[in-house]
Amino acid sequence: MNQEVDSLMTNIYLNTLAYFSVAVVALLVFMFIFNLITKYNDWEEIKKGNVAVAMATSGKIFGICNLFRFAILNNDSVLESVVWASFGFVLLLVAYYLFELLTPYFKIDEEIKNGNKAVGLISMVISISVSYVIGASVA
């Protein structure tokens, strides 16, 4: 069975499809988790036109996909890539909580929900920037 799977994965199209499929499913799961921990519903706020939420959510999506980029480039199998991207996601969550903790002047989630584009932009840039730092250390 392993030989059959290995031979299928040598096909660049099937290999790409495998990585793509796993990354999309993981992105959906990770975004669901992010949606659970924020104090607003990302997709309802975006539907209402809340640009701050759209920016923060875009940063999360980019950050997660960027983690997968690094994990795929630095690992030999889909499973290893998922493990490293998942570890990176946990670190991205830690960064999210640190951002909230280190800004005692206001509540990040409340400001983003209220449409504060400046906070949404900072949140987006933090997610993207931290994903590069985490990605660079992926084994």
Side-chain angles (χ1 to χ4, degrees):
M1 177 78 168
N2 285 340
Q3 287 178 328
E4 292 168 350
V5 171
D6 288 342
S7 69
L8 286 174
M9 292 304 283
T10 59
N11 180 311
I12 60 172
Y13 299 106
L14 291 176
N15 191 35
T16 299
L17 182 61
Y19 279 106
F20 172 78
S21 300
V22 169
V24 167
V25 169
L27 174 63
L28 292 172
V29 170
F30 293 162
M31 287 306 296
F32 176 77
I33 293 168
F34 258 129
N35 199 36
L36 288 176
I37 64 170
T38 55
K39 295 181 174 112
Y40 52 85
N41 184 310
D42 297 5
W43 305 111
E44 284 182 21
E45 290 297 320
I46 291 169
K47 186 177 178 181
K48 290 187 221 174
N50 189 328
V51 177
V53 172
M55 288 189 293
T57 302
S58 297
K60 293 170 192 170
I61 292 169
F62 185 95
I64 292 165
C65 289
N66 193 42
L67 292 172
F68 266 97
R69 173 189 174 271
F70 280 103
I72 291 167
L73 286 173
N74 293 309
N75 290 286
D76 294 329
S77 72
V78 174
L79 180 59
E80 288 175 344
S81 296
V82 169
V83 168
W84 278 105
S86 297
F87 180 66
F89 173 70
V90 170
L91 294 176
L92 208 56
L93 284 175
V94 169
Y96 172 82
Y97 282 114
L98 284 174
F99 179 38
E100 183 75 51
L101 182 70
L102 296 174
T103 52
Y105 304 109
F106 53 85
K107 299 288 182 197
I108 302 300
D109 278 353
E110 287 177 20
E111 292 296 320
I112 291 173
K113 182 179 180 181
N114 292 332
N116 186 331
K117 293 176 193 156
V119 176
L121 178 64
I122 292 292
S123 178
M124 179 178 76
V125 171
I126 287 173
S127 293
I128 291 170
S129 302
V130 169
S131 77
Y132 274 98
V133 173
I134 295 167
S137 67
V138 167

